[in-house]
Amino acid sequence: MVDGFVGSWNEVSSLLRFNRNKNHNMGRKFFIGGNWKCNGTTEEVKKIVTSLNEAKVPGEDVVEVVVSPPYVFLPVVKSLLRPDFHVSAQNCWVRKGGAYTGEVSAEMLVNLAIPWVIIGHSERRQLLNESNEFVGDKVAYALSQGLKVIACIGETLEQREAGTTMTVVAEQTKAIAAKISNWDNVVLAYEPVWAIGTGKVATPAQAQEVHADLRKWIHANVSAEVAASVRIIYGGSVNGGNCKELAAQPDVDGFLVGGASLKPEFVDIINSATVKN
């Protein structure tokens, strides 16, 4: 009887702590990632960096900004970029380097002092058939080498219309959760595939619903602490016009920005972080 009472009390107190932490955002610093994808020349990249260096944005206590140029531009961007912004790779290999032509290992990124990497972007899942398990393995290996990871999840239009959005993103998250024990260096990026580069954007209510459900799933399947502290950011046609309304949602902790990160409006998106204050 006592055991049952203690067990149920632990569940109640855990849920209370989760709700309390959720309301206080658990110190989840707003996160803005700029994914430049397969774009740019040396001159174009230098111009983008110059405009970012001149931008007036909130301090590092308010927002964490990370830009992700193609591999070949990582050193030049890192050398020129303002010190309060950081650099990310767009992908890395699933294990130690070796006879893997065309791949770049986590160790190489660490050697270049690149702190972040994007893993599991839907373009790689779809075009290169990266499975949930493969993405989970990549996240775990990158973390083991000291990288921080932006791990991408999201459903297709067909999956949303079939009503399986949460099933899909839960399975994608489960494959990551199965391989890692420490979430301190993970940012989850929810990117509905139907909204990436299409001009369609999830409504603030749609984004909030998935983010809140994801947090509940993490609470039930990982821990209350991780659910309260992990940053879940939104990606999918975010721009200067819609970022403030999206940023105001309680479970939206930032953005992974595609096309707009190559344009001046990226600064407006960074500044949307002030909505949280």
Side-chain angles (χ1 to χ4, degrees):
M1 186 70 186
V2 171
D3 285 348
F5 175 77
V6 169
S8 59
W9 172 247
N10 284 343
E11 285 171 27
V12 169
S13 61
S14 169
L15 202 54
L16 286 170
R17 192 164 65 247
F18 171 58
N19 284 329
R20 188 172 68 244
N21 288 341
K22 195 170 166 234
N23 291 338
H24 285 85
N25 260 17
M26 190 66 177
R28 298 195 303 265
K29 189 191 293 185
F30 210 69
F31 185 98
I32 303 285
N35 179 11
W36 297 2
K37 305 192 181 184
C38 189
N39 290 296
T41 63
T42 304
E43 287 316 304
E44 288 166 349
V45 162
K46 285 179 178 173
K47 268 187 199 164
I48 293 167
V49 172
T50 299
S51 69
L52 291 176
N53 288 350
E54 292 169 354
K56 287 185 170 56
V57 297
E60 284 184 279
D61 55 326
V62 175
V63 63
E64 187 168 4
V65 181
V66 174
V67 296
S68 188
Y71 282 134
V72 292
F73 299 126
L74 284 170
V76 69
V77 172
K78 183 171 174 52
S79 70
L80 298 175
L81 190 66
R82 57 196 290 169
D84 55 331
F85 287 8
H86 300 286
V87 182
S88 170
Q90 294 175 17
N91 177 49
C92 67
W93 184 233
V94 68
R95 57 182 68 90
K96 192 171 164 58
Y100 307 108
T101 301
E103 288 296 335
V104 170
S105 70
E107 290 87 348
M108 292 173 187
L109 298 178
V110 171
N111 180 247
L112 288 178
I114 304 298
W116 286 90
V117 62
I118 298 171
I119 291 178
H121 193 279
S122 65
E123 286 156 4
R124 297 193 64 84
R125 288 178 185 265
Q126 291 197 303
L127 299 174
L128 297 162
N129 298 317
E130 293 194 358
S131 68
N132 290 348
E133 291 68 31
F134 188 61
V135 170
D137 286 337
K138 286 172 87 167
V139 170
Y141 191 76
L143 290 172
S144 78
Q145 297 308 301
L147 292 171
K148 299 176 188 179
V149 175
I150 301 164
C152 301
I153 56 177
E155 83 285 9
T156 64
L157 185 58
E158 294 75 23
Q159 289 163 337
R160 174 162 280 272
E161 288 176 344
T164 60
T165 293
M166 200 50 221
T167 305
V168 171
V169 297
E171 280 300 312
Q172 292 169 335
T173 309
K174 182 181 176 184
I176 295 166
K179 300 286 168 62
I180 70 173
S181 54
N182 187 334
W183 288 72
D184 290 350
N185 289 326
V186 178
V187 170
L188 271 183
Y190 167 61
E191 296 199 297
V193 179
W194 49 271
I196 297 173
T198 60
K200 291 179 182 173
V201 63
T203 65
Q206 285 174 321
Q208 168 59 22
E209 181 183 26
V210 177
H211 285 226
D213 284 348
L214 256 175
R215 220 175 278 288
K216 282 178 195 155
W217 186 92
I218 294 166
H219 180 274
N221 295 280
V222 181
S223 75
E225 286 71 24
V226 171
S229 63
V230 70
R231 289 176 290 182
I232 306 175
I233 63 176
Y234 171 79
S237 298
V238 177
N239 59 46
N242 59 30
C243 57
K244 282 190 177 167
E245 201 181 349
L246 285 161
Q249 303 306 307
D251 286 293
V252 174
D253 301 316
F255 303 117
L256 184 56
V257 186
S261 68
L262 301 164
K263 301 172 186 171
E265 67 186 302
F266 187 56
V267 175
D268 299 327
I269 298 170
I270 296 169
N271 283 319
S272 71
T274 56
V275 169
K276 290 294 192 195
N277 291 348

